[in-house]
Amino acid sequence: NFIKFFKNVNSGQIIWNTLKIGVLNLLFTFPAAIIFAILLNEIKSGPVRKFVQTFTTLPNFISWVLVYAIAFCIFSTDGFVSSLMVNAGIWKEGVNMLMGGSHVWLQMLAWGLWKGIGWSAIIYIAAISGIDQQLYEAATVDGAGRFQRMWNITVPSLIPTFCVLLLMSIANILSNGMDQYLVFENSTNTSSIMVLDLYVYKLGIGQGQTPLSTVIGMVKSVVSVTLLFAANGISKLIRGESIV
């Protein structure tokens, strides 16, 4: 089964899709959460801050089926964007922007960011709430502005939390999830959107090839553990601290 998977003509493309989307999530979605948490903390109005936090956290509890329904209403041939463009005379006919695989990974990144940024920022918001307020008061007395307090107090205080979550994210770089890609998959983007989790689902549930899907899960586990210890070693070398 190991040989069968690695000799599969599509395995290289599937692994490449998984790594590409995983790296994009690591480069954009992961830092976006800490930036959002810091900016949210700078909102001085309590009711406004609570509203923004609630409004950005709610999408996490929406299923990917409903997210696709929203995307279909906005970006399909008869959706909001196409109707607006056709009525404005910019387009001659509607365009289904959910079809095609040329930029599907950017679409997945954008939808994942919209759905998860509020939820991902919660742990950073909790870490910010634990920062000693006397540090901010002392910095204000010394004449530090808002940006200086944020850069010299908030950001350094979040580095330990950031490093731990970064190590875990690196270890899970091959685990993109399955629901999002399953609902957005169509005949025109299958080759670009097929990631390991979706491939395992199709093999195990769709085709009943349980041994082969189990092998892929084992390979993912070995790679994840290897990446975790490698990232932990780098962290220990640079920061002098480790989580393992």
Side-chain angles (χ1 to χ4, degrees), residues 16-238:
W16 169 243
N17 293 339
T18 305
L19 287 174
K20 180 168 58 177
I21 296 175
V23 170
L24 283 175
N25 287 329
L26 196 64
L27 293 177
F28 293 97
T29 304
F30 187 73
I34 189 172
I35 294 172
F36 176 75
I38 294 173
L39 295 178
L40 183 64
N41 182 64
E42 294 301 314
I43 300 177
K44 299 306 178 184
S45 175
V48 174
R49 184 168 61 250
K50 291 181 180 178
F51 172 78
V52 173
Q53 184 178 356
T54 303
F55 185 76
T56 54
T57 304
L58 283 177
N60 180 74
F61 301 98
I62 301 176
S63 69
W64 278 109
V65 176
L66 294 180
V67 172
Y68 180 77
I70 295 172
F72 187 82
C73 292
I74 298 175
F75 297 109
S76 65
T77 305
D78 299 323
F80 172 78
V81 174
S82 291
S83 299
L84 184 64
M85 291 297 184
V86 171
N87 292 334
I90 300 176
W91 293 351
K92 293 183 179 180
E93 59 182 9
V95 177
N96 191 342
M97 288 174 281
L98 298 175
M99 303 294 284
S102 57
H103 301 294
V104 66
W105 42 278
L106 290 178
Q107 297 177 24
M108 297 299 98
L109 177 65
W111 285 110
L113 185 62
W114 171 77
K115 191 175 187 295
I117 187 171
W119 179 261
S120 301
I122 288 179
I123 191 168
Y124 294 113
I125 295 172
I128 290 174
S129 65
I131 300 175
D132 189 357
Q133 294 301 311
Q134 292 182 355
L135 295 174
Y136 293 102
E137 295 172 0
T140 303
V141 172
D142 290 338
R146 176 178 293 185
F147 179 79
Q148 290 175 317
R149 295 194 300 269
M150 180 176 62
W151 182 255
N152 294 291
I153 299 176
T154 307
V155 173
S157 299
L158 292 178
I159 287 180
T161 304
F162 176 82
C163 290
V164 172
L165 295 179
L166 178 62
L167 291 180
M168 301 303 295
S169 297
I170 292 175
N172 292 321
I173 197 170
L174 295 181
S175 298
N176 304 120
M178 181 269 297
D179 298 353
Q180 177 182 3
Y181 306 96
L182 178 64
V183 297
F184 278 92
E185 182 196 13
N186 55 60
S187 58
T188 63
N189 65 14
T190 298
S191 60
S192 300
I193 204 174
M194 184 66 66
V195 294
L196 283 174
D197 289 332
L198 179 58
Y199 186 59
V200 167
Y201 169 80
K202 287 183 173 293
L203 284 177
I205 304 299
Q207 303 178 21
Q209 299 186 39
T210 305
L212 185 56
S213 60
T214 304
V215 160
I216 299 174
M218 293 173 62
V219 172
K220 282 181 54 183
S221 299
V222 172
V223 173
S224 296
V225 172
T226 304
L227 289 175
L228 175 62
F229 279 97
N232 183 73
I234 296 174
S235 174
K236 188 175 182 179
L237 183 64
I238 296 175

Side-chain angles (χ1 to χ4, degrees), residues 3-23:
I3 296 173
K4 183 178 180 180
F5 169 65
F6 286 106
K7 283 190 174 181
N8 190 325
V9 293
N10 298 320
S11 61
Q13 181 65 37
I14 294 171
I15 294 174
W16 169 243
N17 293 339
T18 305
L19 287 174
K20 180 168 58 177
I21 296 175
V23 170

